Amino acid sequence: MFIFSIFHRIIKKDLKIYLLIITFLLLFWILLRFLKYWFTESMTFENRILWYLYYIPLCIIPPTFFVLASSLQPKHEKTIWYILLSYLPGLILCILVLTNDLHFLAFSFTPDGYQHEIVYYLVVGWIFLTLLSAVIILFITCPIQKSKKLSWIPFSVIIIGGIFILFNFFYNDFFKSPDTITFVCITLLESLIEVGLIPSNKNYKDYFEVSNLNAFLTDVNGKVIYRSKGAIEISENQKTEGKVQPVFLDENIRLSSKKLHGGYIYWFENLKEINTINRELNEVNIQLEDENDLLEEENDIRQKEATLREQKRLYDSLFEQVKDKLERLKEKLESPVDVEKTLRTCSFEVACIKRRENLLLLCEKEEKLSSQELSYSIKEILDYLTLAYIPCSFVDRGSCRLQAKDLFALYCSIEEGLESCQDSLLGCLVQTEYRDHLFSLRIALEGAEFSLKETESIIVSKEKEENMVYYILSVKGEDL
C-alpha cells in the first residue's frame, strides 16, 4: 500500500524514483529474510550468504535517502559525481560485509555463535549518521514553518527506532532485524511526508484556498470544486461566456478560463495598473503626436526657408551674370539710331542672356553635362545672329560629357566674343567635334576677330588668313 501511496501523493519525478528505490530495497530485504529462515539451516554457507546480502539494502538505502534530501536544496545540481560520492562509502562497506569470509572484519565466528567486529559497527554508525544528516537537510531546506515545527516527529522516529535496534541487539530473539528496521524506515518516510518535509500533494485543497491565485476549478458541468479566497462570485452566464473568450466583469477585472482534464480553471486578472499605464501612455502619445506635428511644421518652414535662400542665391548669381548686358540693352532701347537694326541686335543679346541663365542653372544642379546643351545654346544664338543679316552656320560632329564649369566657360567665350564683334562681323561658322576623349569647338569668323584666354582646362589656338580668323578651343571630355 505504501508503494501505491507514493504514486498518488508524490508529484516530483525524482523524489518518486528515490522513494520507490528505498521501498523496493526494503522488500528485497524482507525476501532475503524469508529465504534465509525458511530454506537454509543456521550457519551454513548459504545461510551466511543470505545474511551478508542483508547489507545490500542496508548500505544502499541511507545514501539514496541522503541524495533524496539533497535534491530538495535550492539550486542543487545532481551531477553524476555527486551521486557516486554519496554512494561510495556504502558500496565499500557493503563489499567488506559480502567478503567477510575472507577477512572476518564484520563478523567472527565461534563454536557458540558469532561476534560483531569493526566493520559491523562502522556500518551501523554510518547508517545512523547518514539518515540523521538527510533529515537535518530536509529540515533546513523546507520553506514551510509549520512543517519545521512538526519536525520533532521524524526525529522522534529516529530515536525510537534506534532504541528498538539497540534492544534487538541485546535481545535478538525478541525482534528480527529486517522487521524492525523496515518498520522504522517506513514510519520515518511516512512521518516526513505527513509533516511536509518531503513535498507531497497532501492538503492541496487547503493550499489552493489560501493562495493568492484568485481562481476556481470546476468540473465539466460547471460545478465549483476548489475556490481560492480571492475568487469573485460570478453568474452561470459569465461562466459559460468565459469558456469561449475572456470576459470583462468591469473596467479592470478580466475573467479568463482554460480547459483542463475533467473540467475548467477560471482565473481573475486585475488590470487596473495596466489600464492606468495605458492611459498614461495614450496621454504621452498624444503629446508626442502634437510635438511631432510641430516638428514637421518647423521642418517644412526650415525647408521652405532653405529653398528660398537657394533661389535667392541663384537669382543673385544670375543677375550678376547679366547685369551689364541688361544695362546695355536698356541704353540701346532708350535711344535707338536704327530701330530695325537695334531690335535685331537686342534679340540676339536677349537670346544670349536666356541661354547663359539656363546653362548656369544646369551647372548648379549637375557636375557634368552633355555637350548637346552647349550645342543647343550656340545654335540658338547663331540663329538670332542670322536674323541680324549675318550669315551663320553650325555643325555638330560628336557629343560627349563635359565638366559643367568647362561647358559654361566655352559658352561664355563664344557668346562674349560674338557680342564684341557683331558690328563688323560678316559671317560665322561654328563646329563641335569629339575625338579621342578631346572635345573641340572650332570657330571661323569673316571680317572680325575677338580675343580668347586660356584656362587650366581649356586650350585655345588662333590662326589668321587674309580676312578670315580661325579659333580652336579644346577641352577633355568623356564618352556618353
Side-chain angles (χ1 to χ4, degrees):
M1 292 299 294
F2 183 74
I3 294 176
F4 292 111
S5 72
I6 290 174
F7 280 103
H8 176 70
R9 291 185 293 174
I10 305 302
I11 303 300
K12 198 175 179 184
K13 185 177 180 181
D14 53 350
L15 288 182
K16 186 182 295 185
I17 293 173
Y18 295 139
L19 289 172
L20 289 174
I21 290 173
I22 293 171
T23 306
F24 283 116
L25 285 172
L26 291 173
L27 289 176
F28 176 64
W29 194 9
I30 298 297
L31 176 63
L32 292 174
R33 175 188 176 280
F34 174 76
L35 295 175
K36 177 176 178 289
Y37 286 104
W38 284 86
F39 293 97
T40 63
E41 296 181 3
S42 178
M43 289 300 139
T44 61
F45 175 75
E46 294 81 2
N47 184 272
R48 288 201 312 275
I49 294 299
L50 290 171
W51 179 28
Y52 295 159
L53 289 175
Y54 281 8
Y55 288 85
I56 293 177
L58 280 174
C59 293
I60 300 300
I61 288 174
T64 304
F65 192 26
F66 183 81
V67 173
L68 178 151
S70 300
S71 67
L72 295 175
Q73 290 179 303
K75 301 181 180 179
H76 173 72
E77 295 183 3
K78 301 185 289 298
T79 62
I80 187 64
W81 290 108
Y82 177 84
I83 296 175
L84 289 176
L85 289 174
S86 299
Y87 281 94
L88 184 60
L91 292 174
I92 293 173
L93 293 173
C94 182
I95 292 171
L96 289 173
V97 173
L98 292 175
T99 58
N100 182 68
D101 285 357
L102 301 177
H103 48 71
F104 299 105
L105 293 176
F107 306 99
S108 61
F109 299 95
T110 64
D112 298 330
Y114 67 91
Q115 292 181 347
H116 298 111
E117 300 296 338
I118 186 170
V119 172
Y120 172 81
Y121 295 108
L122 287 175
V123 170
V124 173
W126 181 75
I127 291 173
F128 180 79
L129 291 176
T130 305
L131 292 176
L132 183 63
S133 300
V135 175
I136 292 173
I137 291 175
L138 289 173
F139 174 80
I140 294 173
T141 57
C142 181
I144 303 173
Q145 291 299 321
K146 182 180 178 181
S147 298
K148 287 186 174 182
K149 291 179 181 180
L150 295 174
S151 61
W152 62 269
I153 298 176
F155 282 109
S156 299
V157 172
I158 294 176
I159 295 171
I160 296 172
I163 294 172
F164 269 96
I165 293 170
L166 288 174
F167 188 80
N168 185 67
F169 180 78
F170 292 107
Y171 302 97
N172 195 33
D173 294 333
F174 191 78
F175 291 111
K176 297 297 181 183
S177 294
D179 301 337
T180 305
I181 297 177
T182 299
F183 175 76
V184 171
C185 287
I186 295 297
T187 305
L188 177 61
L189 291 176
E190 186 64 30
S191 65
L192 290 170
I193 294 173
E194 286 296 322
V195 302
L197 293 181
I198 293 180
S200 67
N201 62 0
K202 181 186 176 183
N203 298 324
Y204 270 23
K205 178 181 178 181
D206 297 333
Y207 295 154
F208 189 80
E209 289 179 355
V210 299
S211 70
N212 57 355
L213 293 177
N214 297 331
F216 61 89
L217 294 167
T218 69
D219 58 15
V220 292
N221 298 320
K223 181 182 177 181
V224 178
I225 306 300
Y226 298 119
R227 179 188 295 275
S228 68
K229 63 180 181 181
I232 302 172
E233 293 286 346
I234 60 173
S235 64
E236 291 297 327
N237 291 335
Q238 290 173 328
K239 283 184 190 178
T240 304
E241 189 178 353
K243 292 180 182 179
V244 181
Q245 61 184 5
V247 178
F248 281 89
L249 304 181
D250 56 32
E251 182 183 1
N252 297 320
I253 304 299
R254 182 173 65 187
L255 172 67
S256 302
S257 69
K258 179 74 174 180
K259 184 172 178 55
L260 304 176
H261 179 70
Y264 294 87
I265 180 172
Y266 293 83
W267 68 92
F268 302 91
E269 298 172 276
N270 191 338
L271 306 179
K272 183 177 180 180
E273 293 184 3
I274 296 177
N275 290 334
T276 302
I277 293 172
N278 286 334
R279 283 193 294 269
E280 292 176 355
L281 287 175
N282 288 333
E283 292 175 0
V284 171
N285 286 333
I286 292 172
Q287 292 178 358
L288 289 175
E289 288 177 359
D290 294 340
E291 291 180 3
N292 286 335
D293 292 339
L294 292 175
L295 288 174
E296 288 179 0
E297 292 180 4
E298 185 178 350
N299 289 334
D300 290 341
I301 292 172
R302 288 179 179 177
Q303 187 174 0
K304 291 178 181 178
E305 289 178 350
T307 303
L308 290 174
R309 284 195 298 270
E310 179 65 16
Q311 290 176 350
K312 185 177 182 302
R313 186 188 67 80
L314 289 174
Y315 292 151
D316 291 342
S317 176
L318 292 174
F319 181 73
E320 288 296 325
Q321 290 283 336
V322 301
K323 180 174 62 175
D324 295 337
K325 297 179 182 294
L326 292 175
E327 290 292 335
R328 289 197 299 270
L329 281 174
K330 182 179 178 181
E331 292 175 359
K332 289 180 181 180
L333 292 173
E334 287 180 349
S335 55
V337 177
D338 184 342
V339 175
E340 184 180 356
K341 183 179 179 181
T342 299
L343 289 176
R344 293 179 184 274
T345 301
C346 289
S347 297
F348 166 70
E349 292 183 0
V350 169
C352 291
I353 291 172
K354 184 187 75 170
R355 276 300 173 179
R356 178 181 285 252
E357 290 179 345
N358 288 343
L359 289 178
L360 186 61
L361 290 174
L362 290 174
C363 291
E364 289 286 342
K365 296 178 181 178
E366 304 288 343
E367 291 185 0
K368 295 181 180 181
L369 295 171
S370 171
S371 62
Q372 286 294 320
E373 297 293 340
L374 177 63
S375 299
Y376 297 150
S377 299
I378 294 174
K379 186 176 184 305
E380 183 173 351
I381 63 175
L382 290 180
D383 289 341
Y384 277 95
L385 197 59
T386 302
L387 294 177
Y389 303 112
I390 300 174
C392 297
S393 180
F394 176 77
V395 179
D396 186 359
R397 292 185 176 177
S399 301
C400 65
R401 290 181 68 82
L402 299 174
Q403 292 290 334
K405 58 182 178 112
D406 294 337
L407 186 146
F408 188 70
L410 289 173
Y411 172 78
C412 290
S413 297
I414 189 171
E415 176 206 281
E416 292 172 357
L418 292 175
E419 282 184 340
S420 64
C421 67
Q422 63 175 317
D423 292 336
S424 59
L425 185 62
L426 299 177
C428 176
L429 172 65
V430 179
Q431 176 182 308
T432 58
E433 183 179 10
Y434 177 65
R435 182 184 301 172
D436 298 331
H437 300 287
L438 189 67
F439 180 79
S440 300
L441 178 62
R442 302 175 183 273
I443 305 171
L445 300 179
E446 181 183 359
E449 63 179 297
F450 52 78
S451 60
L452 294 174
K453 295 181 180 180
E454 289 189 355
T455 64
E456 294 181 357
S457 55
I458 300 176
I459 301 173
V460 178
S461 63
K462 176 181 177 182
E463 293 183 6
K464 189 173 182 181
E465 295 181 1
E466 295 182 357
N467 200 33
M468 298 294 296
V469 181
Y470 302 95
Y471 300 91
I472 300 177
L473 288 78
S474 302
V475 66
K476 291 182 178 179
E478 300 177 2
D479 296 337
L480 291 174

